[in-house]
Amino acid sequence: MTEQQQFDLIVIGGGSGGVRAARISAGHGARVAICEESRMGGTCVIRGCVPKKLLVYASHFAEDFEASQGFGWQLENPQFSWPALIANKDREIDRLNQVYHRLLDNAGVTTFMGRGVLLDANRVQVGDQVLHGKRILIATGGRPFTPAFPGSELAISSDEAFHLEKLPRRIVVAGGGYIAVEFAGIFNGMGSDVILAYRGDKILRGFDDDLRDQLEHEMQAKGIKIQHHSEITALQRNADGTLAVTYKDGSECQADQVMFATGRQPYTWDLGLDQAGIETDAKGAIPVDADSRTCQPHIFAVGDVTNRINLTPVAIREGHAFADTEFGNMPRQADHALVPSAVFSQPPIGTVGYTEQQAKDKFGRLRVYQSSFRAMKHTLTDIQEKTFMKMIVDDASNVVVGLHIIGVDAAEIVQGFAVAVKAGLTKDHFDATVGIHPTSGEELVTLRDFRLVE
Ligand code: NDP
């Protein structure tokens, strides 16, 4: 082993949260090291949000080509090449990976490409080097979780879905969360036969019930077969390389791929946490306080490894707040309230604030405004897809406490309106805002009819 190198901060994990923390800390004058065992950029950039959204765009063209005929276009049998898409996507991810390296270099952060393992509360081993840090930040993210059952090793996760050599003709996606519905939409759009096998009775648990119903309806209308109360209990490889799928009720089906999207686990194993005196909770996550501090005063953790709100922009804020607090003499905490989010399902979902049920439990009497309409973009086409919007107002204060949209551009619309919800604006503020015509978003400033919930 080489002589110990001394740092003010060692960051373990080069994803969104770790890279932000490293760069900002270095900018505040700290001597910073970051280690990454895979590729700089982490889940979001390398095998998550970014490549996923590129695949969502790609898969939507089939519907767009069809819709274009209503607008007068004639297309001669458009052809899709999965290998071309994957190669182009890989090129873009390579570019972003380089951007991350450059950002770190420019900030003066020392990069170690290798797995970081805690030797004790101050030392991290990367390959044959031992680094000594006055502070340590753990930002190792999460990994896909697949339940154990006979043949489970034959299933892929989202990690492998990004690198399939060919588009599966038939795929079963297990799960009913963000990743399952997004990939079901992607493969369906590409032309695969898709079964979504979900163990519960309604997908996207935790989201507003009306949106969940609407998404199930739209996914089924687009050809995805949603199986409720459906659990895969065995997989077997057939002689021709395809898979035989057995469900809990004894039924079977054949598929070319089976993808599990049954949640993600904090990536805390084999990290040397016990050697540093850090315990994990029942889910394997590292417990931290509002300053992202672990039980060791000089060891911190941000992002999915802490299992707070597992979203990239949240990890970035946690990492930034940590850096400003510890090295910038600007103490502050990441704010986890009213975080907007999106599901890039087809159609997409955008949401901020409380669901109707959560709002009812918290505020009591509510006014719920909702609207359902066919987006103008679809009017000249055969697409019957509906946009659905729901605004939840606390009746006592008149404050808008929840906004939930499913339909064309939902994520873009909610990003803008989330500022208003975060600012605690009232329904009167929404009403006083002039709409932009013709848009879908203008609906949110013209909602008049409501139902009382108490
Ligand atoms: P989720 O936690 O969202 O969903 C997991 C799904 O798998 C649920 O439907 C759950 O069912 C089901 N499930 C869990 N365990 C089992 C099991 N043993 N057998 C069968 N089904 C099971 O996880 P995802 O993997 O979809 O996503 C992980 C996280 O990544 C998300 O929580 C999110 O924070 C983040 N993410 C965000 C995205 C975005 O912002 N657009 C996109 C993708 C991921 P049940 O409902 O019954 O518990």
Side-chain angles (χ1 to χ4, degrees), residues 26-84:
H28 289 315
R31 191 169 143 74
V32 182
I34 187 167
C35 46
E36 166 58 51
E37 67 175 348
S38 169
R39 302 184 73 192
M40 214 52 94
T43 300
C44 177
V45 174
I46 306 297
R47 58 190 85 83
C49 330
V50 174
K52 180 271 309 288
K53 189 139 186 214
L54 295 174
L55 263 52
V56 170
Y57 281 134
S59 70
H60 211 273
F61 278 97
E63 192 176 292
D64 295 340
F65 287 144
E66 220 175 291
S68 72
Q69 294 174 33
F71 292 89
W73 291 89
Q74 291 292 330
L75 294 172
E76 291 294 324
N77 191 20
Q79 296 296 309
F80 169 67
S81 163
W82 171 265

Side-chain angles (χ1 to χ4, degrees), residues 86-215:
I86 296 302
N88 291 344
K89 178 265 297 175
D90 286 345
R91 231 186 348 267
E92 174 60 7
I93 302 308
D94 288 347
R95 188 185 70 80
L96 292 173
N97 174 240
Q98 290 311 314
V99 167
Y100 269 70
H101 276 284
R102 222 173 22 249
L103 286 171
L104 288 163
D105 288 348
N106 292 346
V109 175
T110 309
T111 330
F112 294 87
M113 293 313 293
R115 183 177 175 74
V117 177
L118 288 154
L119 295 177
D120 55 35
N122 285 100
R123 291 182 311 147
V124 175
Q125 182 169 351
V126 195
D128 61 358
Q129 315 209 49
V130 176
L131 319 178
H132 184 281
K134 288 187 189 145
R135 289 185 184 75
I136 291 172
L137 178 71
I138 302 167
T140 48
R143 288 288 179 274
F145 159 76
T146 300
F149 59 85
S152 60
E153 71 283 357
L154 300 173
I156 58 168
S157 70
S158 52
D159 285 359
E160 292 80 31
F162 289 117
H163 299 287
L164 292 177
E165 277 177 16
K166 59 179 188 185
L167 180 67
R169 194 169 62 76
R170 303 159 301 177
I171 183 164
V172 180
V173 180
Y178 285 80
I179 298 180
V181 301
E182 291 180 342
F183 273 88
I186 287 169
F187 285 114
N188 182 60
M190 305 288 191
S192 306
D193 284 340
V194 180
I195 293 175
L196 186 76
Y198 175 50
R199 67 179 176 183
D201 53 12
K202 206 187 283 189
I203 57 171
L204 283 189
R205 192 162 57 81
F207 284 76
D208 189 88
D209 277 343
D210 288 329
L211 266 77
R212 298 168 72 192
D213 288 334
Q214 177 82 12
L215 181 61

Side-chain angles (χ1 to χ4, degrees), residues 327-364:
F327 297 104
N329 202 21
M330 289 183 279
R332 62 192 191 85
Q333 295 175 342
D335 180 358
H336 292 97
L338 295 173
V339 171
S341 74
V343 184
F344 294 99
S345 45
Q346 297 180 35
I349 283 177
T351 172
V352 59
Y354 298 90
T355 65
E356 182 175 330
Q357 187 59 50
Q358 290 166 343
K360 192 171 162 223
D361 295 344
K362 185 170 171 74
F363 302 102

Side-chain angles (χ1 to χ4, degrees), residues 339-415:
V339 171
S341 74
V343 184
F344 294 99
S345 45
Q346 297 180 35
I349 283 177
T351 172
V352 59
Y354 298 90
T355 65
E356 182 175 330
Q357 187 59 50
Q358 290 166 343
K360 192 171 162 223
D361 295 344
K362 185 170 171 74
F363 302 102
R365 202 173 143 100
L366 309 172
R367 296 196 310 276
V368 177
Y369 299 79
Q370 55 193 55
S371 171
S372 177
F373 56 93
R374 196 161 165 233
M376 190 175 178
K377 189 180 176 190
H378 297 324
T379 51
L380 302 187
T381 77
D382 292 334
I383 299 167
Q384 299 303 318
E385 181 187 298
K386 288 277 181 57
T387 291
F388 174 79
M389 297 184 172
K390 185 167 181 178
M391 177 188 284
I392 297 164
V393 179
D394 169 26
D395 192 52
S397 65
N398 204 28
V399 169
V400 176
V401 295
L403 271 185
H404 309 278
I405 303 180
I406 177 168
V408 179
D409 297 333
E412 304 290 346
I413 296 168
V414 167
Q415 178 65 88

